[in-house]
Amino acid sequence: MNQALGAAAPEPDSARGPGGARALVVGLDAGGTRTRAVLADAADGGVLGEGAGGPGNALTVPLPRLTEHLAQAVAHAVPEPVRGRVVAVAGGFAGATGADESDPGRRNALTALTAALRRLGITTERLTVSSDIEAAFASAPGAPADGLALVAGTGAVAMRITDRRRAFTVDGDGWLLGDDGSGFWIGREAVRAALRMADGRGPATVLAGAVGQALGLPARVLPGPGLPHAQGPGPDAPRSADVDGSSACSGADEPSYGGWTRAGREAYRGHLLPVVMAEPPTRLARFAPLVAEAALERDAVARAILDRAADQLTDAVKALAPRVGERVVATGGLLGPGGPLTAPLAARLDALGLTLDRVADGCPGAVALARLSL
């Protein structure tokens, strides 16, 4: 896209940088997985270049690495000959959720961003640091100043935004204490459902086989082809099994799950638990797509997991004290086009008089915030 920098049309003086050249701005979306940078025209916001770097969480990534990742993303987006024309930079950072610059995340983000820009020869003093949620909110059409924001990806958090800043937050408490309805939460529920089936507490579900295969468990310990299919618990499931996976059984009532014997199920658990425990907890989020696929196959357990996830996100929005007619600006992989929670969440919000307004990421919002700083 950088070739577009050479195609300049006449512009007003307000769109000019040093020496009368077109002024440019940079917007960054620094998330837990990667950092994206966008170079844009200060006058109309048109995108002129893009770049990417490593993770940009301002609380969990050490400052030297954070500086390196930011510099890498900006260097790819902004060709060296035009770096002197950058008049404003704004970044939305995961981990920078505090209300002001005394917040450790915001302070780390500002320190790393300043160092990265200095390394690249970009000397603008107009630096705006916000949370990635605030940037995502500003990505909505019209760059709104007030409203509600919701992120549902690996984690989950809801936020009320006032004057483009966080007013208060619901959840976002991390894998140990919260992130209810997130990709991590869904993935964990998938593994729990598989374990509950294996030890006889839960109904049959194709998630047991899907999770086992994804973890690379030996084929001999996986549920066999005789396993009752995804329509629901099936005749061999525990008698008291219900849709959320709870059940009680003993003795003659012990489930056979279509020939998956007690010895086979015990071997499955013995292989699965060490593999899961050896990984970082947030890696459980990678099982969320398996739940979406199983739900499409009419697996009752998978459908129940997605329903509960949508309820959790709805509860988070409700806790923001929404007003009828407000829109909820949402982003994250679970809420993308065709995402597993997009339709159920939209229906729940519609019943509350709210509108789900999805954005892809925070880069457009960061560009908007950079332009607004001018």
Side-chain angles (χ1 to χ4, degrees):
M1 293 187 186
N2 292 328
Q3 65 270 21
L5 290 167
E11 293 142 345
D13 291 342
S14 60
R16 299 286 175 175
R22 284 189 303 162
L24 307 173
V25 299
V26 175
L28 293 122
D29 180 23
T33 303
R34 66 170 180 162
T35 298
R36 289 189 60 223
V38 168
L39 176 68
D41 190 298
D44 60 16
V47 174
L48 304 172
E50 296 183 0
N57 188 302
L59 278 181
T60 62
V61 178
L63 272 175
R65 286 178 54 202
L66 181 60
T67 301
E68 181 64 32
H69 295 167
L70 295 173
Q72 181 183 33
V74 174
H76 289 161
V78 187
E80 187 172 357
V82 302
R83 291 175 186 171
R85 289 158 54 186
V86 174
V87 296
V89 178
F93 289 79
T97 56
D100 54 46
E101 277 65 33
S102 65
D103 169 69
R106 288 186 190 265
R107 186 169 60 248
N108 290 348
L110 183 60
T111 299
L113 181 57
T114 301
L117 295 177
R118 184 183 303 117
R119 181 185 303 179
L120 298 175
I122 297 175
T123 58
T124 178
E125 296 180 358
R126 290 191 177 92
L127 299 183
T128 302
V129 168
S130 64
S131 75
D132 56 339
I133 307 167
E134 291 163 335
F137 181 79
S139 295
D146 306 293
L148 310 175
L150 176 67
V151 176
T154 299
V157 60
M159 186 179 289
R160 177 169 284 283
I161 306 291
T162 301
D163 195 22
R164 299 190 175 88
R165 287 289 190 178
R166 175 186 73 100
F168 57 90
T169 303
V170 174
D171 204 355
D173 299 327
W175 66 267
L176 181 61
L177 301 175
D179 284 351
D180 296 334
S182 67
F184 160 78
W185 185 94
I186 292 172
R188 184 189 62 185
E189 290 301 300
V191 178
R192 291 184 72 238
L195 289 169
R196 290 174 69 85
M197 177 184 171
D199 68 19
R201 292 180 295 159
T205 171
V206 297
L207 292 174
V211 167
Q213 288 179 339
L215 289 171
L217 269 57
R220 59 184 171 79
V221 308
L222 299 179
L227 175 68
H229 198 256
Q231 298 295 334
D236 293 323
R239 290 183 180 178
S240 63
D242 56 26
V243 76
D244 70 2
S246 62
S247 65
C249 64
S250 62
D253 291 334
E254 181 176 320
S256 66
Y257 297 118
W260 198 24
T261 65
R262 169 65 75 180
R265 291 186 277 127
E266 189 68 12
Y268 175 90
R269 289 172 52 81
H271 281 80
L272 183 147
L273 286 168
V275 176
V276 170
M277 297 301 181
E279 297 182 339
T282 53
R283 286 279 290 155
L284 292 174
R286 75 185 192 276
F287 300 126
L290 301 181
V291 179
E293 293 171 10
L296 290 175
E297 296 175 11
R298 303 181 60 80
D299 185 275
V301 173
R303 286 185 163 191
I305 291 173
L306 294 184
D307 280 342
R308 296 203 307 278
D311 288 340
Q312 298 275 16
L313 297 180
T314 303
D315 288 344
V317 173
K318 286 181 179 178
L320 296 173
R323 296 179 289 273
V324 173
E326 281 192 298
R327 62 178 177 175
V328 180
V329 178
T331 191
L334 296 175
L335 300 175
L341 298 185
T342 305
L345 181 64
R348 286 163 169 78
L349 295 182
D350 184 66
L352 298 174
L354 306 173
T355 301
L356 186 65
D357 190 356
R358 186 196 170 274
V359 298
D361 57 48
C363 278
V367 167
L369 293 175
R371 296 177 65 216
L372 284 168
S373 73
L374 299 175

